[in-house]
Amino acid sequence: MSPVNIPVLDLKPQYEQIKDEIQAAINRVLESGRFIMGPDVKLFEQEVADYLGVKHAIGVNSGTDALVIGLRAVGIGEGDEVITTPFSFFATAESISNVGATPVFADIDPNSFNIDPKEIRSKITSRTKAIMPVHLYGQPAAMAQIMEIAQEHGLKVIEDCAQSFGARYWGTCSSCDGRCQESTRESLRGKFTGTIGDVGAFSFFPSKNLGAYGDGGLVATNDDQVAEMARMLRVHGAKKKYHNEMLGYNSRLDTLQAAILRVKLPYIDQWNEGRRRVAQAYNDLLADVPGIITPELSKGHVFHQYTIRVLEGKRDKVKESLGEQGIGSMVYYPVPQDQLPVYQGQYPKLPMSDLLGTEVLSLPIWPELEKYTIDSIVKVIKQLLVVDK
Ligand SMILES: Cc1ncc(COP(=O)(O)O)c(C=O)c1O
């Protein structure tokens, strides 16, 4: 087979669709000269709040800052423990460490790749103050159980929604062991990720489902006090200019990015639906391939990544074969957060996240990815695994 060129992500087809609107939005900001906290920031915040059905949406400089500001806004700091997943991008644990708290890692469920509620229970101590679930790859975490554990123990919940903009929780968690109440599931059914816990932290990094053309992030909350604190923290800890009350950050959402995101927001459901179509096509084509576990197509999943498990130690071989044919793929994440050099020696290995780090492979996905391209990607995988068998 002759090499093709299929990147792991192509943002150009999306740009082509909305080019005129984007350029008009950028020009409007340039003409206004209001680059810092211009009108588009407030308008975007209101539009996101309306979309998510949440009381407050506060634009910040990145998803990482949204996590840090979210943690501080709910009062997490020195001496506190925050239970989180080992299987995420380092910004998750880093935010906890950066506010002076200690990340405590609870192992994951192999079907959803998300934190396993059973494991959370076993990690709770007198110092535990919060849980930070991550809706990894766009798949909502088991929020009914997580919220029940939080309520039982008086814990805050900060949702890392960097990969899950537009994902809804429907109460069908693969890691469910039946311990949550039907009434809890019912009360959360259909809610957007990021609107269930005390705080939702979103990223608008360009590759995200709702991506800016630079860095950007957002804190979502229904709590007036948390919102007020987050608004202060993003502008150096001041409610009133030059009357700083606490140490904060310079973490405003850039006006140009807000204007770009306002153009993109009305398309998000359509784009997420496109991602689900791609995931369905992959799942159908890969269903009978030996040695592969395809992801669940659960309701509400927005497939920021389409991630398979490649068993029997063949993941790197598959990645290499795809690469030889000019097809991009990525490993998110080869080293669980708890085993990164920054925390070396501090945490014992967690068996499931350790194993999945050797098996996961994310294949190309974007909303407009064509069926014939998916066919050619699957063909390479089949050639290797079906022949190899
Ligand atoms: C799970 C997760 N959390 C947090 C972040 C941090 O977001 P940002 O890059 O906008 O700071 C990312 C971004 O890659 C992420 O994937």
Side-chain angles (χ1 to χ4, degrees):
M1 200 194 292
S2 60
V4 288
N5 183 18
I6 306 169
V8 74
L9 171 66
D10 189 356
L11 293 174
K12 282 195 295 294
Q14 184 190 82
Y15 179 56
E16 288 303 327
Q17 274 177 60
I18 53 170
K19 198 174 186 168
D20 293 345
E21 288 180 83
I22 291 285
Q23 287 178 351
I26 291 174
N27 282 339
R28 194 183 61 240
V29 177
L30 297 185
E31 296 291 342
S32 78
R34 297 181 62 187
F35 301 110
I36 303 295
M37 296 300 270
D40 281 283
V41 174
K42 226 186 166 88
L43 288 167
F44 175 63
E45 288 175 342
Q46 191 52 55
E47 286 158 9
V48 175
D50 291 346
Y51 172 85
L52 293 175
V54 76
K55 202 162 170 196
H56 305 279
I58 300 131
V60 295
N61 183 256
S62 68
T64 306
D65 280 7
L67 289 169
V68 168
I69 289 173
L71 281 162
R72 281 194 57 195
V74 299
I76 306 300
E78 211 70 49
D80 297 336
E81 288 179 357
V82 179
I83 300 177
T84 193
T85 170
F87 212 59
S88 181
F89 177 59
F90 179 54
T92 307
E94 185 186 34
S95 68
I96 298 168
S97 295
N98 267 337
V99 302
T102 304
V104 173
F105 300 98
D107 211 354
I108 57 170
D109 165 69
N111 298 315
S112 66
F113 305 102
N114 282 327
I115 195 165
D116 183 340
K118 292 187 289 298
E119 300 292 324
I120 296 177
R121 288 184 192 276
S122 70
K123 300 286 176 183
I124 294 173
T125 71
S126 58
R127 291 172 61 201
T128 308
K129 292 288 160 13
I131 307 171
M132 184 182 279
V134 178
H135 308 293
L136 199 74
Y137 307 148
Q139 161 99 303
M143 291 309 292
Q145 282 204 60
I146 291 170
M147 293 310 291
E148 284 184 359
I149 296 169
Q151 265 155 23
E152 219 175 284
H153 297 270
L155 309 176
K156 301 289 183 189
V157 175
I158 299 100
E159 298 175 66
D160 182 338
C161 307
Q163 304 189 4
S164 70
F165 196 98
R168 287 175 188 261
Y169 177 74
W170 289 101
T172 47
C173 319
S174 59
S175 55
C176 183
D177 59 1
R179 284 185 71 172
C180 63
Q181 306 287 322
E182 175 59 28
S183 57
T184 311
R185 286 202 299 277
E186 198 51 53
S187 69
L188 303 182
R189 218 162 257 159
K191 279 186 179 263
F192 281 109
T193 58
T195 67
I196 298 169
D198 297 273
V199 166
F202 293 89
S203 165
F204 303 124
F205 186 82
S207 65
K208 300 297 194 248
N209 291 33
L210 181 65
Y213 294 146
D215 278 309
L218 184 123
V219 172
T221 184
N222 282 309
D223 185 315
D224 295 345
Q225 267 176 314
V226 171
E228 184 178 39
M229 187 75 166
R231 285 201 179 95
M232 283 172 78
L233 286 168
R234 78 169 163 182
V235 285
H236 306 282
K239 249 186 255 164
K240 197 168 147 210
K241 211 169 184 182
Y242 308 130
H243 288 77
N244 310 72
E245 295 172 40
M246 64 181 81
L247 297 179
Y249 311 93
N250 176 356
S251 184
R252 299 165 294 230
L253 176 63
D254 190 86
T255 307
L256 273 170
Q257 301 306 337
I260 288 162
L261 289 162
R262 287 188 67 210
V263 171
K264 288 185 159 202
L265 183 62
Y267 294 94
I268 188 66
D269 289 342
Q270 170 192 328
W271 288 336
N272 282 341
E273 207 37 60
R275 289 173 177 275
R276 288 178 59 83
R277 259 197 314 275
V278 171
Q280 179 72 69
Y282 271 126
N283 271 10
D284 291 346
L285 292 165
L286 288 167
D288 57 352
V289 179
I292 279 187
I293 300 179
T294 55
E296 310 174 311
L297 228 145
S298 59
K299 197 173 167 192
H301 191 333
V302 293
F303 286 94
H304 174 58
Q305 299 297 339
Y306 177 83
T307 305
I308 56 172
R309 289 174 64 189
V310 187
L311 310 179
E312 298 158 14
K314 291 186 181 163
R315 193 267 312 277
D316 293 344
K317 223 167 133 189
V318 172
K319 189 174 190 332
E320 201 182 299
S321 294
L322 288 168
E324 280 164 6
Q325 298 302 322
I327 299 167
S329 63
M330 291 294 283
V331 174
Y332 304 112
Y333 298 88
V335 184
Q337 298 190 90
D338 55 308
Q339 298 303 314
L340 288 169
V342 58
Y343 297 131
Q344 212 159 35
Q346 291 182 40
Y347 299 98
K349 281 190 178 178
L350 295 165
M352 201 47 78
S353 62
D354 205 44
L355 173 69
L356 264 59
T358 67
E359 292 182 348
V360 288
L361 189 64
S362 298
L363 302 179
I365 189 163
W366 57 90
E368 305 80 9
L369 185 60
E370 308 267 11
K371 175 71 169 42
Y372 68 84
T373 311
I374 300 169
D375 285 337
S376 62
I377 296 165
V378 170
K379 203 164 157 191
V380 176
I381 299 174
K382 277 189 167 169
Q383 261 172 1
L384 183 78
L385 293 182
V386 177
V387 172
D388 218 34
K389 203 68 190 172

